[in-house]
PDB file of all heavy atoms in Angstrom:
ATOM      1  N   PRO A  30      -6.369   3.542 -15.002  1.00  0.00           N
ATOM      2  CA  PRO A  30      -5.912   3.946 -16.317  1.00  0.00           C
ATOM      3  C   PRO A  30      -4.458   3.616 -16.641  1.00  0.00           C
ATOM      4  O   PRO A  30      -4.083   3.600 -17.815  1.00  0.00           O
ATOM      5  CB  PRO A  30      -6.123   5.456 -16.313  1.00  0.00           C
ATOM      6  CG  PRO A  30      -6.006   5.845 -14.877  1.00  0.00           C
ATOM      7  CD  PRO A  30      -6.615   4.705 -14.120  1.00  0.00           C
ATOM      8  N   ARG A  31      -3.600   3.406 -15.668  1.00  0.00           N
ATOM      9  CA  ARG A  31      -2.253   2.917 -15.964  1.00  0.00           C
ATOM     10  C   ARG A  31      -2.366   1.485 -16.474  1.00  0.00           C
ATOM     11  O   ARG A  31      -3.007   0.648 -15.852  1.00  0.00           O
ATOM     12  CB  ARG A  31      -1.378   2.964 -14.705  1.00  0.00           C
ATOM     13  CG  ARG A  31      -0.934   4.373 -14.340  1.00  0.00           C
ATOM     14  CD  ARG A  31      -0.011   4.959 -15.390  1.00  0.00           C
ATOM     15  NE  ARG A  31       0.634   6.180 -14.931  1.00  0.00           N
ATOM     16  CZ  ARG A  31       1.622   6.784 -15.590  1.00  0.00           C
ATOM     17  NH1 ARG A  31       2.061   6.287 -16.737  1.00  0.00           N
ATOM     18  NH2 ARG A  31       2.169   7.888 -15.104  1.00  0.00           N
ATOM     19  N   GLU A  32      -1.752   1.186 -17.601  1.00  0.00           N
ATOM     20  CA  GLU A  32      -1.965  -0.122 -18.216  1.00  0.00           C
ATOM     21  C   GLU A  32      -0.834  -1.112 -17.978  1.00  0.00           C
ATOM     22  O   GLU A  32      -0.916  -2.261 -18.402  1.00  0.00           O
ATOM     23  CB  GLU A  32      -2.213   0.030 -19.727  1.00  0.00           C
ATOM     24  CG  GLU A  32      -3.530   0.726 -20.055  1.00  0.00           C
ATOM     25  CD  GLU A  32      -4.771  -0.004 -19.533  1.00  0.00           C
ATOM     26  OE1 GLU A  32      -4.637  -1.135 -19.045  1.00  0.00           O
ATOM     27  OE2 GLU A  32      -5.866   0.582 -19.603  1.00  0.00           O
ATOM     28  N   GLY A  33       0.226  -0.679 -17.297  1.00  0.00           N
ATOM     29  CA  GLY A  33       1.207  -1.646 -16.807  1.00  0.00           C
ATOM     30  C   GLY A  33       0.699  -2.113 -15.452  1.00  0.00           C
ATOM     31  O   GLY A  33       0.038  -3.142 -15.331  1.00  0.00           O
ATOM     32  N   ASN A  34       0.985  -1.333 -14.441  1.00  0.00           N
ATOM     33  CA  ASN A  34       0.425  -1.513 -13.101  1.00  0.00           C
ATOM     34  C   ASN A  34       0.243  -0.150 -12.471  1.00  0.00           C
ATOM     35  O   ASN A  34       0.947   0.813 -12.810  1.00  0.00           O
ATOM     36  CB  ASN A  34       1.359  -2.324 -12.208  1.00  0.00           C
ATOM     37  CG  ASN A  34       1.134  -3.831 -12.265  1.00  0.00           C
ATOM     38  OD1 ASN A  34       1.919  -4.592 -11.733  1.00  0.00           O
ATOM     39  ND2 ASN A  34       0.059  -4.275 -12.896  1.00  0.00           N
ATOM     40  N   MET A  35      -0.681  -0.070 -11.533  1.00  0.00           N
ATOM     41  CA  MET A  35      -0.743   1.084 -10.658  1.00  0.00           C
ATOM     42  C   MET A  35       0.241   0.869  -9.514  1.00  0.00           C
ATOM     43  O   MET A  35       0.622  -0.265  -9.217  1.00  0.00           O
ATOM     44  CB  MET A  35      -2.167   1.273 -10.131  1.00  0.00           C
ATOM     45  CG  MET A  35      -3.096   1.859 -11.176  1.00  0.00           C
ATOM     46  SD  MET A  35      -4.830   1.875 -10.672  1.00  0.00           S
ATOM     47  CE  MET A  35      -4.699   2.565  -9.036  1.00  0.00           C
ATOM     48  N   VAL A  36       0.649   1.941  -8.864  1.00  0.00           N
ATOM     49  CA  VAL A  36       1.672   1.831  -7.819  1.00  0.00           C
ATOM     50  C   VAL A  36       1.205   0.922  -6.680  1.00  0.00           C
ATOM     51  O   VAL A  36       2.007   0.198  -6.093  1.00  0.00           O
ATOM     52  CB  VAL A  36       2.076   3.231  -7.298  1.00  0.00           C
ATOM     53  CG1 VAL A  36       0.919   3.932  -6.606  1.00  0.00           C
ATOM     54  CG2 VAL A  36       3.279   3.140  -6.365  1.00  0.00           C
ATOM     55  N   ILE A  37      -0.089   0.946  -6.377  1.00  0.00           N
ATOM     56  CA  ILE A  37      -0.653   0.037  -5.369  1.00  0.00           C
ATOM     57  C   ILE A  37      -1.565  -0.928  -6.113  1.00  0.00           C
ATOM     58  O   ILE A  37      -2.771  -0.708  -6.248  1.00  0.00           O
ATOM     59  CB  ILE A  37      -1.405   0.808  -4.267  1.00  0.00           C
ATOM     60  CG1 ILE A  37      -0.474   1.814  -3.599  1.00  0.00           C
ATOM     61  CG2 ILE A  37      -1.973  -0.152  -3.225  1.00  0.00           C
ATOM     62  CD1 ILE A  37       0.757   1.178  -2.934  1.00  0.00           C
ATOM     63  N   SER A  38      -0.968  -1.985  -6.612  1.00  0.00           N
ATOM     64  CA  SER A  38      -1.661  -2.892  -7.532  1.00  0.00           C
ATOM     65  C   SER A  38      -2.507  -3.938  -6.825  1.00  0.00           C
ATOM     66  O   SER A  38      -3.450  -4.468  -7.413  1.00  0.00           O
ATOM     67  CB  SER A  38      -0.639  -3.590  -8.440  1.00  0.00           C
ATOM     68  OG  SER A  38       0.416  -4.142  -7.657  1.00  0.00           O
ATOM     69  N   THR A  39      -2.184  -4.263  -5.598  1.00  0.00           N
ATOM     70  CA  THR A  39      -2.923  -5.295  -4.868  1.00  0.00           C
ATOM     71  C   THR A  39      -3.234  -4.818  -3.453  1.00  0.00           C
ATOM     72  O   THR A  39      -2.535  -3.964  -2.897  1.00  0.00           O
ATOM     73  CB  THR A  39      -2.113  -6.599  -4.768  1.00  0.00           C
ATOM     74  OG1 THR A  39      -0.967  -6.392  -3.930  1.00  0.00           O
ATOM     75  CG2 THR A  39      -1.662  -7.079  -6.150  1.00  0.00           C
ATOM     76  N   THR A  40      -4.250  -5.411  -2.852  1.00  0.00           N
ATOM     77  CA  THR A  40      -4.623  -5.041  -1.491  1.00  0.00           C
ATOM     78  C   THR A  40      -3.559  -5.456  -0.484  1.00  0.00           C
ATOM     79  O   THR A  40      -3.362  -4.766   0.526  1.00  0.00           O
ATOM     80  CB  THR A  40      -5.988  -5.652  -1.136  1.00  0.00           C
ATOM     81  OG1 THR A  40      -6.968  -5.096  -2.029  1.00  0.00           O
ATOM     82  CG2 THR A  40      -6.395  -5.338   0.297  1.00  0.00           C
ATOM     83  N   THR A  41      -2.855  -6.540  -0.752  1.00  0.00           N
ATOM     84  CA  THR A  41      -1.777  -6.928   0.166  1.00  0.00           C
ATOM     85  C   THR A  41      -0.662  -5.881   0.161  1.00  0.00           C
ATOM     86  O   THR A  41      -0.087  -5.581   1.213  1.00  0.00           O
ATOM     87  CB  THR A  41      -1.223  -8.317  -0.199  1.00  0.00           C
ATOM     88  OG1 THR A  41      -1.018  -8.404  -1.618  1.00  0.00           O
ATOM     89  CG2 THR A  41      -2.161  -9.415   0.223  1.00  0.00           C
ATOM     90  N   LYS A  42      -0.368  -5.318  -1.006  1.00  0.00           N
ATOM     91  CA  LYS A  42       0.624  -4.242  -1.066  1.00  0.00           C
ATOM     92  C   LYS A  42       0.106  -3.011  -0.323  1.00  0.00           C
ATOM     93  O   LYS A  42       0.869  -2.335   0.397  1.00  0.00           O
ATOM     94  CB  LYS A  42       0.951  -3.895  -2.520  1.00  0.00           C
ATOM     95  CG  LYS A  42       2.134  -2.945  -2.691  1.00  0.00           C
ATOM     96  CD  LYS A  42       2.485  -2.768  -4.161  1.00  0.00           C
ATOM     97  CE  LYS A  42       3.710  -1.874  -4.328  1.00  0.00           C
ATOM     98  NZ  LYS A  42       4.054  -1.671  -5.764  1.00  0.00           N
ATOM     99  N   ALA A  43      -1.179  -2.731  -0.461  1.00  0.00           N
ATOM    100  CA  ALA A  43      -1.785  -1.616   0.273  1.00  0.00           C
ATOM    101  C   ALA A  43      -1.656  -1.823   1.774  1.00  0.00           C
ATOM    102  O   ALA A  43      -1.404  -0.876   2.530  1.00  0.00           O
ATOM    103  CB  ALA A  43      -3.251  -1.467  -0.122  1.00  0.00           C
ATOM    104  N   MET A  44      -1.823  -3.070   2.218  1.00  0.00           N
ATOM    105  CA  MET A  44      -1.692  -3.378   3.647  1.00  0.00           C
ATOM    106  C   MET A  44      -0.275  -3.109   4.141  1.00  0.00           C
ATOM    107  O   MET A  44      -0.073  -2.591   5.245  1.00  0.00           O
ATOM    108  CB  MET A  44      -2.066  -4.834   3.910  1.00  0.00           C
ATOM    109  CG  MET A  44      -3.532  -5.157   3.745  1.00  0.00           C
ATOM    110  SD  MET A  44      -3.822  -6.926   4.003  1.00  0.00           S
ATOM    111  CE  MET A  44      -5.439  -7.112   3.265  1.00  0.00           C
ATOM    112  N   LEU A  45       0.716  -3.462   3.331  1.00  0.00           N
ATOM    113  CA  LEU A  45       2.104  -3.205   3.722  1.00  0.00           C
ATOM    114  C   LEU A  45       2.371  -1.708   3.869  1.00  0.00           C
ATOM    115  O   LEU A  45       3.039  -1.273   4.806  1.00  0.00           O
ATOM    116  CB  LEU A  45       3.062  -3.812   2.683  1.00  0.00           C
ATOM    117  CG  LEU A  45       3.259  -5.320   2.730  1.00  0.00           C
ATOM    118  CD1 LEU A  45       4.054  -5.789   1.515  1.00  0.00           C
ATOM    119  CD2 LEU A  45       3.987  -5.734   4.011  1.00  0.00           C
ATOM    120  N   VAL A  46       1.820  -0.929   2.923  1.00  0.00           N
ATOM    121  CA  VAL A  46       1.979   0.526   3.009  1.00  0.00           C
ATOM    122  C   VAL A  46       1.308   1.052   4.281  1.00  0.00           C
ATOM    123  O   VAL A  46       1.885   1.852   5.017  1.00  0.00           O
ATOM    124  CB  VAL A  46       1.397   1.222   1.754  1.00  0.00           C
ATOM    125  CG1 VAL A  46       1.379   2.738   1.937  1.00  0.00           C
ATOM    126  CG2 VAL A  46       2.214   0.851   0.515  1.00  0.00           C
ATOM    127  N   ALA A  47       0.083   0.582   4.552  1.00  0.00           N
ATOM    128  CA  ALA A  47      -0.641   1.040   5.736  1.00  0.00           C
ATOM    129  C   ALA A  47       0.106   0.691   7.015  1.00  0.00           C
ATOM    130  O   ALA A  47       0.213   1.523   7.935  1.00  0.00           O
ATOM    131  CB  ALA A  47      -2.047   0.442   5.752  1.00  0.00           C
ATOM    132  N   ARG A  48       0.630  -0.518   7.099  1.00  0.00           N
ATOM    133  CA  ARG A  48       1.393  -0.914   8.297  1.00  0.00           C
ATOM    134  C   ARG A  48       2.629  -0.052   8.473  1.00  0.00           C
ATOM    135  O   ARG A  48       2.961   0.371   9.592  1.00  0.00           O
ATOM    136  CB  ARG A  48       1.814  -2.391   8.199  1.00  0.00           C
ATOM    137  CG  ARG A  48       0.725  -3.366   8.542  1.00  0.00           C
ATOM    138  CD  ARG A  48       1.265  -4.738   8.831  1.00  0.00           C
ATOM    139  NE  ARG A  48       2.050  -4.776  10.058  1.00  0.00           N
ATOM    140  CZ  ARG A  48       2.502  -5.888  10.621  1.00  0.00           C
ATOM    141  NH1 ARG A  48       2.230  -7.068  10.073  1.00  0.00           N
ATOM    142  NH2 ARG A  48       3.201  -5.859  11.733  1.00  0.00           N
ATOM    143  N   THR A  49       3.318   0.204   7.373  1.00  0.00           N
ATOM    144  CA  THR A  49       4.533   1.022   7.425  1.00  0.00           C
ATOM    145  C   THR A  49       4.218   2.440   7.893  1.00  0.00           C
ATOM    146  O   THR A  49       4.920   3.018   8.730  1.00  0.00           O
ATOM    147  CB  THR A  49       5.212   1.056   6.045  1.00  0.00           C
ATOM    148  OG1 THR A  49       5.541  -0.280   5.648  1.00  0.00           O
ATOM    149  CG2 THR A  49       6.473   1.897   6.057  1.00  0.00           C
ATOM    150  N   VAL A  50       3.145   3.009   7.342  1.00  0.00           N
ATOM    151  CA  VAL A  50       2.742   4.363   7.728  1.00  0.00           C
ATOM    152  C   VAL A  50       2.303   4.400   9.189  1.00  0.00           C
ATOM    153  O   VAL A  50       2.661   5.327   9.939  1.00  0.00           O
ATOM    154  CB  VAL A  50       1.624   4.874   6.797  1.00  0.00           C
ATOM    155  CG1 VAL A  50       0.996   6.153   7.352  1.00  0.00           C
ATOM    156  CG2 VAL A  50       2.170   5.114   5.393  1.00  0.00           C
ATOM    157  N   ASN A  51       1.548   3.403   9.618  1.00  0.00           N
ATOM    158  CA  ASN A  51       1.093   3.373  11.012  1.00  0.00           C
ATOM    159  C   ASN A  51       2.261   3.232  11.985  1.00  0.00           C
ATOM    160  O   ASN A  51       2.238   3.812  13.080  1.00  0.00           O
ATOM    161  CB  ASN A  51       0.091   2.232  11.217  1.00  0.00           C
ATOM    162  CG  ASN A  51      -1.280   2.553  10.645  1.00  0.00           C
ATOM    163  OD1 ASN A  51      -1.643   3.716  10.513  1.00  0.00           O
ATOM    164  ND2 ASN A  51      -2.034   1.535  10.291  1.00  0.00           N
ATOM    165  N   GLU A  52       3.275   2.475  11.607  1.00  0.00           N
ATOM    166  CA  GLU A  52       4.466   2.363  12.449  1.00  0.00           C
ATOM    167  C   GLU A  52       5.163   3.716  12.582  1.00  0.00           C
ATOM    168  O   GLU A  52       5.672   4.066  13.650  1.00  0.00           O
ATOM    169  CB  GLU A  52       5.423   1.319  11.860  1.00  0.00           C
ATOM    170  CG  GLU A  52       4.945  -0.116  12.045  1.00  0.00           C
ATOM    171  CD  GLU A  52       5.754  -1.110  11.227  1.00  0.00           C
ATOM    172  OE1 GLU A  52       6.739  -0.679  10.571  1.00  0.00           O
ATOM    173  OE2 GLU A  52       5.413  -2.301  11.225  1.00  0.00           O
ATOM    174  N   ALA A  53       5.168   4.483  11.479  1.00  0.00           N
ATOM    175  CA  ALA A  53       5.819   5.796  11.500  1.00  0.00           C
ATOM    176  C   ALA A  53       4.995   6.828  12.261  1.00  0.00           C
ATOM    177  O   ALA A  53       5.550   7.697  12.944  1.00  0.00           O
ATOM    178  CB  ALA A  53       6.055   6.275  10.066  1.00  0.00           C
ATOM    179  N   CYS A  54       3.664   6.720  12.156  1.00  0.00           N
ATOM    180  CA  CYS A  54       2.786   7.738  12.754  1.00  0.00           C
ATOM    181  C   CYS A  54       2.283   7.343  14.138  1.00  0.00           C
ATOM    182  O   CYS A  54       1.794   8.205  14.880  1.00  0.00           O
ATOM    183  CB  CYS A  54       1.575   7.981  11.836  1.00  0.00           C
ATOM    184  SG  CYS A  54       1.994   8.646  10.217  1.00  0.00           S
ATOM    185  N   GLY A  55       2.357   6.073  14.466  1.00  0.00           N
ATOM    186  CA  GLY A  55       1.786   5.580  15.711  1.00  0.00           C
ATOM    187  C   GLY A  55       0.304   5.302  15.549  1.00  0.00           C
ATOM    188  O   GLY A  55      -0.398   5.990  14.815  1.00  0.00           O
ATOM    189  N   GLY A  56      -0.168   4.251  16.203  1.00  0.00           N
ATOM    190  CA  GLY A  56      -1.583   3.907  16.118  1.00  0.00           C
ATOM    191  C   GLY A  56      -1.915   3.114  14.866  1.00  0.00           C
ATOM    192  O   GLY A  56      -1.034   2.631  14.144  1.00  0.00           O
ATOM    193  N   LYS A  57      -3.208   2.997  14.607  1.00  0.00           N
ATOM    194  CA  LYS A  57      -3.691   2.248  13.437  1.00  0.00           C
ATOM    195  C   LYS A  57      -4.743   3.061  12.697  1.00  0.00           C
ATOM    196  O   LYS A  57      -5.816   2.566  12.356  1.00  0.00           O
ATOM    197  CB  LYS A  57      -4.290   0.906  13.879  1.00  0.00           C
ATOM    198  CG  LYS A  57      -3.272  -0.081  14.419  1.00  0.00           C
ATOM    199  CD  LYS A  57      -3.920  -1.425  14.719  1.00  0.00           C
ATOM    200  CE  LYS A  57      -2.884  -2.430  15.210  1.00  0.00           C
ATOM    201  NZ  LYS A  57      -3.494  -3.756  15.487  1.00  0.00           N
TER     202      LYS A  57
END
């Protein structure tokens, strides 16, 4: 529903977030 962009607009951006979180939390 956001018509500019959503905060996680692409799967590659989602991957970067996931990697960053996993580095902080440990594991995958």
Side-chain angles (χ1 to χ4, degrees):
R31 285 294 192 171
E32 293 300 352
N34 271 171
M35 284 172 48
V36 65
I37 303 300
S38 50
T39 67
T40 297
T41 45
K42 189 174 183 181
M44 290 177 197
L45 284 171
V46 172
R48 281 197 68 172
T49 301
V50 168
N51 284 335
E52 287 169 4
C54 297
K57 291 185 178 181

